[in-house]
Amino acid sequence: MTEPFKAVQVIEADGKFVLSIVDKLIDNLPPGDVIIKVHYSSLNYKDALSATGNKGVTRQYPHTPGIDAAGEVVSSTDDNWKPGDQVIVTGFDFGMNTSGGFQEYIRVPAKWLVRLPQGLSLRESMIYGTAGFTAALSVQALLKTGVQPADGKIVVTGASGGVGSIAVAILSKLGYQVTAVSSKQAEFLQSLGAVEVLPRAEMDDASGRVMLKPRFAGGIDTVGGNVLATVVKSLQYGAAVTACGMVNGGPLPLTVFPFILKGIQLLGIDSVEYPLGKRAAVWEAMATTWKPAQLTQLANEIPLEKLGESINQILAGKVQGRTLVRLA
């Protein structure tokens, strides 16, 4: 493996962060147990932050972002993996402070790998990517509270984004009535199964009331801030909402009243450090009973060369669904 391969590289120069495509060698990759030929990656909001110099995501540059990768094992020093195995890499430090998936080859620790489940192609696994895995963890957490389709509508905020759109599709597949919150792409969200689409302003209450009229049997929030607070105040008795994002800010303007008087649960979702031993079961559900019929229509596929343009779009909030990055 002496031939150079293509990789995205972000460098810091004069206070600016510049993205380009460069040639790398296997020797340029970090230490690890397994070398993988990457077929697909995907673009997440966190990747865009890493690519534009957010030191809260990536501390050291030059850097190759990409928190997702799916491909084929080329070589391994770990007996659990052999050449030809198809694998998924998401989470842990991949693509953050370790060289990531926006390159044709990666080298990673064996403990970061999940075997591609039957029923899912490498391409489909990256239509999901970290966003889809996070959506699945959110659905899983919500289902564990016992909420049933007959209990009422489930609200999903930031529904046109990666996590939100997949959450809408999975919940709809499972028979839930989904209220999608988004100020755009109503037709797209309805095609994923949403029974109604509300503008964001309707779920951004500024009245100052500590509780609102009960409207939802559960929720999946991807934005945080006052939108999440509005969801909490709008839940039915005993309902729950998951929280996995904070593009609307970290502070949560709430009182304890919804939690005490209505028994509301707020469930935090983290996909980065989610235990490896539990990941395979979630991916299995994503490949079978939870797999939406509309999965492929969630993806806009681009080559590595178009990544810079797509990063600008996702930072501007102009991306619908998922951006699939083709490397093979």
Side-chain angles (χ1 to χ4, degrees):
M1 299 182 62
T2 58
E3 295 297 317
F5 58 87
K6 289 183 180 180
V8 163
Q9 180 173 268
V10 179
I11 63 170
E12 183 176 6
D14 299 325
K16 296 182 179 180
F17 293 85
V18 181
L19 181 150
S20 61
I21 296 177
V22 300
D23 286 337
K24 274 190 180 182
L25 298 171
I26 293 296
D27 288 346
N28 300 138
L29 297 175
D33 308 305
V34 186
I35 296 175
I36 300 163
K37 179 177 175 59
V38 180
H39 289 220
Y40 292 97
S41 182
S42 69
L43 176 62
N44 300 275
Y45 189 75
K46 187 178 286 186
D47 299 318
L49 294 178
S50 175
T52 52
N54 187 305
K55 295 298 181 73
V57 178
T58 301
R59 294 187 294 271
Q60 299 293 328
Y61 295 83
H63 177 63
T64 296
I67 62 173
D68 293 334
E72 188 174 320
V73 172
V74 174
S75 66
S76 174
T77 60
D78 186 287
D79 292 339
N80 292 313
W81 304 101
K82 64 181 186 301
D85 286 344
Q86 293 188 319
V87 296
I88 302 166
V89 185
T90 66
F92 306 105
D93 194 43
F94 185 59
M96 296 173 63
N97 293 294
T98 301
S99 187
F102 294 156
Q103 53 191 333
E104 294 179 322
Y105 287 89
I106 59 174
R107 181 161 51 198
V108 296
K111 63 184 179 181
W112 289 1
L113 272 60
V114 172
R115 198 174 302 276
L116 183 76
Q118 290 187 357
L120 207 61
S121 68
L122 290 172
R123 184 179 189 274
E124 288 172 329
S125 76
M126 287 296 98
I127 295 176
Y128 278 130
T130 289
F133 186 66
T134 303
L137 291 178
S138 301
V139 171
Q140 176 182 255
L142 204 58
L143 297 187
K144 284 182 178 179
T145 70
V147 63
Q148 300 293 319
D151 293 337
K153 294 176 181 177
I154 306 297
V155 62
V156 177
T157 67
S160 61
V163 177
S165 59
I166 295 176
V168 169
I170 292 176
L171 287 168
S172 299
K173 170 72 183 295
L174 296 177
Y176 290 86
Q177 298 181 73
V178 180
T179 295
V181 179
S182 177
S183 297
K184 54 190 176 182
Q185 309 299 342
E187 186 175 336
F188 167 66
L189 293 167
Q190 289 165 347
S191 76
L192 298 180
V195 297
E196 66 177 346
V197 180
L198 302 179
R200 176 170 169 168
E202 191 169 331
M203 293 303 296
D204 196 2
D205 177 66
S207 70
R209 287 177 289 178
V210 297
M211 290 192 292
L212 300 169
K213 179 181 177 181
R215 300 176 65 181
F216 307 110
I220 291 178
D221 176 72
T222 73
V223 298
N226 194 56
V227 171
L228 173 56
T230 302
V231 172
V232 169
K233 293 188 287 185
S234 302
L235 292 175
Q236 298 170 6
Y237 186 90
V241 58
T242 66
C244 66
M246 54 181 182
V247 295
N248 200 34
L252 189 58
L254 273 173
T255 69
V256 298
F257 289 107
F259 304 103
I260 294 175
L261 299 182
K262 293 202 294 183
I264 301 303
Q265 297 179 67
L266 177 58
L267 308 170
I269 303 297
D270 169 64
S271 65
V272 175
E273 296 295 336
Y274 193 76
L276 183 66
K278 296 181 178 181
R279 288 177 179 248
V282 179
W283 278 104
E284 181 67 24
M286 294 161 68
T288 54
T289 53
W290 292 6
K291 185 179 179 181
Q294 317 96 321
L295 183 62
T296 56
Q297 77 184 56
L298 283 164
N300 171 40
E301 185 174 323
I302 63 168
L304 202 60
E305 290 77 10
K306 295 288 186 180
L307 193 57
E309 179 182 333
S310 294
I311 285 170
N312 291 333
Q313 290 176 341
I314 199 171
L315 288 172
K318 296 180 179 179
V319 170
Q320 168 186 291
R322 299 284 289 134
T323 301
L324 182 70
V325 182
R326 183 179 67 251
L327 286 123

